[in-house]
Amino acid sequence: MEKKHQSIIDFSSNLNDVWRLLNDKERELLRQNASIQHFKKNQIIYSEGDEPEFLMCLLKGKVKIYKEGICGRNQIIRMIKPIQYFAYRAHFAGEKYLTAAAAFESSSVCLIPIQVVEDILKHNFALCKYFIHQLSVDLGIADERTVNLTQKHIRGRLAESLVFLIDSYGLDEDSSINIYLAREDLANLSNMTTSNAIRTLSNFVTERAIALDGRKIKVIDEDKLRKISKLG
Amino acid sequence: MEKKHQSIIDFSSNLNDVWRLLNDKERELLRQNASIQHFKKNQIIYSEGDEPEFLMCLLKGKVKIYKEGICGRNQIIRMIKPIQYFAYRAHFAGEKYLTAAAAFESSSVCLIPIQVVEDILKHNFALCKYFIHQLSVDLGIADERTVNLTQKHIRGRLAESLVFLIDSYGLDEDSSINIYLAREDLANLSNMTTSNAIRTLSNFVTERAIALDGRKIKVIDEDKLRKISKLG
DNA sequence: TTAATTTTGTGCTGTATAACACTGTTGTAA
DNA sequence: TTACAACAGTGTTATACAGCACAAAATTAA
């Protein structure tokens, strides 16, 4: 993982949750140590087994966190949107990465050496609380997800993924989801094979819940999707 | 959830991770506010949707954390052994409980009002780190579990559960697992129906990986179990 | 342009596993 | 003892889904 250093980073543009919790000195420390790296579409950001060195913050683009499953079947664990922090779990657990991260589309990531974060944490209770909160929320999501992925039927799982994408990335003017995924990624998100993702997707078209134009998914009946997600 | 107050609790017997991180004043605060409650076999400790009020520590017994799934199919999310803390995620996430907890067997639980924990946290960085670490570890386990439960076949899932029980609760002198579960609980742990748990279990007997005597599971070939868990 | 590769879409087949029904066993209480 | 409930075990059937194989379309490369 090469690194492009840029001592002067414009943090004003990404005034975010974490930034608000810091004092001037801490902010300066970040400015001096953070760097920004750009990732091309499909480029791997870190891999399973890598040693965690950075707290990462996605500034632009979309990132997937996934695990290599049995015989190449990847499972997308969560998805990151700007401005969101990630890649810190492994370090705090004292482990290597259990997951991998890759850019869905051209993305910019801010890298903060994890030791700098540790130093700030020591004297910043608010930041501690931030991570405790964030980890707790994510753990709850993971628990929910376990049950949803194991117990819901294929329609429910796919509908759930679509609802999740709507909630995470939003809809644009013509009510199509603001992210363009390959059918395979959609399948990996919903724990099914690519063919079944395609099939089920076209069922949703027949039922007038969505309309398709290549990778563009236009949401016609969001309520219907939510209903299928809940009961399926 | 009724509460039995006991101002004087013998904490010396459960000198544990958390206790070590506190100073005298903080320990005194705990002593004055903690209470112990006993739960009978199968008694519910908290339910999905309850407001989290306490940090809990299991002193004696065994506890399951589970979620009600589709049409009564429960999924056991994790299991607690003494001395282990639990029931804090929901509060830190600012949510109600997403899971339920129940005692597998007669259990004693120490209840610490969550506000007391919050007060101590403010001035105790080590305790902050403890929770950050614990949550990070649990999140990693949850991520692993998601993939295992969705991608492994039934044999692999059951073997994994058995290995997990061995690692968590250990074997006694005659190498039988130190926990006695109903077949249904074993099924809920492994994401399968009760009949399939029974069937697969007796397959393992035929293959001389285990021996059964009622709910007692004697481990004959632990390596074999681990192999099935990994490759199944 | 052609060729090659990736992605999407469709039909068919096999199978893992859920669902159900029923019997046998054990434990508990009257 | 009997009666009843909870649990364990087994066989049978149904089905959701994976796993191909292959065609069509879209994308990229030459």
Side-chain angles (χ1 to χ4, degrees):
Chain A
M1 193 165 71
E2 68 178 67
K3 197 175 21 164
K4 195 208 278 182
H5 251 289
Q6 274 183 242
S7 289
I8 299 147
I9 296 170
D10 178 22
F11 280 105
S12 61
S13 65
N14 45 297
L15 187 68
N16 54 52
D17 299 340
V18 166
W19 198 245
R20 256 192 296 273
L21 304 175
L22 306 180
N23 63 33
D24 288 347
K25 205 173 132 198
E26 291 163 342
R27 287 178 186 176
E28 185 52 32
L29 197 61
L30 273 201
R31 272 196 208 90
Q32 282 171 4
N33 288 285
S35 58
I36 290 182
Q37 194 177 349
H38 299 282
F39 293 90
K40 283 174 284 187
K41 189 178 168 170
N42 293 324
Q43 198 181 340
I44 289 174
I45 299 174
Y46 63 78
S47 302
E48 215 165 323
D50 283 358
E51 192 74 45
E53 298 176 66
F54 300 97
L55 166 65
M56 303 189 188
C57 178
L58 183 63
L59 303 178
K60 190 181 67 75
K62 298 178 179 80
V63 166
K64 61 176 165 183
I65 311 290
Y66 63 100
K67 272 183 76 68
E68 310 244 345
I70 320 285
C71 54
R73 276 184 62 195
N74 291 340
Q75 177 67 51
I76 296 179
I77 302 285
R78 50 189 150 263
M79 292 177 63
I80 311 295
K81 59 183 169 182
I83 306 286
Q84 197 180 338
Y85 287 81
F86 66 104
Y88 52 84
R89 189 211 65 83
H91 168 79
F92 286 138
E95 301 166 354
K96 309 215 166 184
Y97 284 121
L98 291 176
T99 54
F104 266 123
E105 51 187 56
S106 180
S107 299
S108 305
V109 177
C110 177
L111 305 179
I112 302 156
I114 200 72
Q115 198 46 56
V116 172
V117 178
E118 285 281 3
D119 290 344
I120 295 177
L121 268 183
K122 271 179 211 146
H123 307 100
N124 189 325
F125 171 66
L127 192 58
C128 283
K129 278 307 290 286
Y130 173 83
F131 281 113
I132 289 176
H133 181 263
Q134 210 50 52
L135 284 162
S136 296
V137 169
D138 282 347
L139 184 55
I141 293 172
D143 289 347
E144 287 281 333
R145 207 164 153 65
T146 298
V147 175
N148 286 337
L149 286 180
T150 55
Q151 297 201 1
K152 276 184 189 172
H153 281 185
I154 214 166
R155 285 167 55 82
R157 287 182 341 245
L158 186 65
E160 195 197 350
S161 293
L162 293 178
V163 168
F164 166 76
L165 292 175
I166 294 171
D167 291 340
S168 299
Y169 299 103
L171 300 171
D172 63 15
E173 324 77 56
D174 70 337
S175 72
S176 58
I177 303 179
N178 255 320
I179 186 173
Y180 296 85
L181 295 182
R183 302 290 191 260
E184 192 185 352
D185 281 319
L186 215 47
N188 289 342
L189 192 60
S190 318
N191 182 36
M192 62 186 64
T193 53
T194 306
S195 357
N196 275 326
I198 291 167
R199 244 185 288 264
T200 311
L201 218 45
S202 69
N203 285 342
F204 288 170
V205 172
T206 312
E207 299 165 33
R208 308 203 166 286
I210 58 171
L212 292 175
D213 175 16
R215 293 192 177 180
K216 191 166 163 177
I217 300 173
K218 192 168 167 178
V219 178
I220 294 177
D221 192 343
E222 193 174 325
D223 261 15
K224 195 171 201 168
L225 282 181
R226 289 188 189 274
K227 239 175 246 167
I228 297 173
S229 163
K230 214 169 225 166
L231 307 172
Chain B
M1 193 165 71
E2 69 178 67
K3 195 175 20 163
K4 194 205 282 180
H5 252 288
Q6 275 182 240
S7 288
I8 298 147
I9 296 171
D10 178 22
F11 279 106
S12 61
S13 65
N14 46 296
L15 186 67
N16 55 51
D17 299 340
V18 166
W19 199 246
R20 254 193 297 273
L21 303 175
L22 306 180
N23 63 33
D24 288 346
K25 205 173 132 199
E26 291 163 342
R27 288 177 185 176
E28 186 53 32
L29 197 63
L30 274 202
R31 271 196 210 90
Q32 282 171 3
N33 288 284
S35 59
I36 291 182
Q37 194 177 350
H38 299 282
F39 294 90
K40 283 176 286 189
K41 189 176 168 171
N42 292 326
Q43 199 181 339
I44 289 175
I45 300 173
Y46 63 78
S47 301
E48 216 166 322
D50 283 359
E51 192 74 45
E53 296 176 68
F54 300 97
L55 166 65
M56 305 190 186
C57 178
L58 183 63
L59 302 178
K60 189 179 69 75
K62 298 180 179 78
V63 166
K64 63 176 165 183
I65 311 289
Y66 63 100
K67 271 184 78 69
E68 308 244 347
I70 320 286
C71 54
R73 276 183 63 195
N74 291 341
Q75 176 68 50
I76 296 180
I77 302 284
R78 49 189 150 261
M79 292 176 63
I80 311 294
K81 59 183 170 181
I83 309 287
Q84 198 180 338
Y85 287 82
F86 65 104
Y88 51 84
R89 189 210 66 81
H91 167 79
F92 287 138
E95 301 166 355
K96 310 212 165 184
Y97 285 121
L98 291 176
T99 54
F104 265 123
E105 51 185 60
S106 179
S107 300
S108 305
V109 177
C110 176
L111 305 179
I112 303 157
I114 200 72
Q115 197 47 57
V116 172
V117 179
E118 285 281 2
D119 289 344
I120 295 177
L121 267 184
K122 271 179 210 143
H123 307 101
N124 189 325
F125 171 66
L127 192 59
C128 282
K129 277 307 290 286
Y130 172 84
F131 282 114
I132 289 177
H133 180 262
Q134 211 50 52
L135 285 163
S136 296
V137 169
D138 282 346
L139 183 55
I141 292 172
D143 288 347
E144 287 280 333
R145 208 164 152 67
T146 298
V147 175
N148 286 337
L149 286 180
T150 53
Q151 297 202 359
K152 277 184 188 172
H153 280 187
I154 214 168
R155 285 166 56 81
R157 283 177 350 238
L158 186 65
E160 194 197 349
S161 292
L162 294 177
V163 168
F164 167 77
L165 292 174
I166 295 171
D167 291 340
S168 299
Y169 299 102
L171 301 172
D172 63 15
E173 325 77 56
D174 70 337
S175 72
S176 58
I177 304 178
N178 257 319
I179 186 173
Y180 296 85
L181 294 183
R183 302 289 191 260
E184 192 184 352
D185 281 319
L186 215 47
N188 289 343
L189 193 58
S190 318
N191 182 37
M192 63 186 66
T193 55
T194 306
S195 357
N196 276 326
I198 291 167
R199 245 184 284 264
T200 311
L201 218 46
S202 69
N203 285 342
F204 287 171
V205 173
T206 313
E207 299 165 32
R208 307 201 165 288
I210 59 171
L212 291 175
D213 176 15
R215 292 192 178 182
K216 190 166 163 177
I217 301 174
K218 190 169 169 179
V219 177
I220 294 177
D221 192 343
E222 192 174 325
D223 261 15
K224 196 171 200 164
L225 281 182
R226 289 189 189 273
K227 237 175 247 167
I228 297 173
S229 163
K230 214 168 226 169
L231 307 171

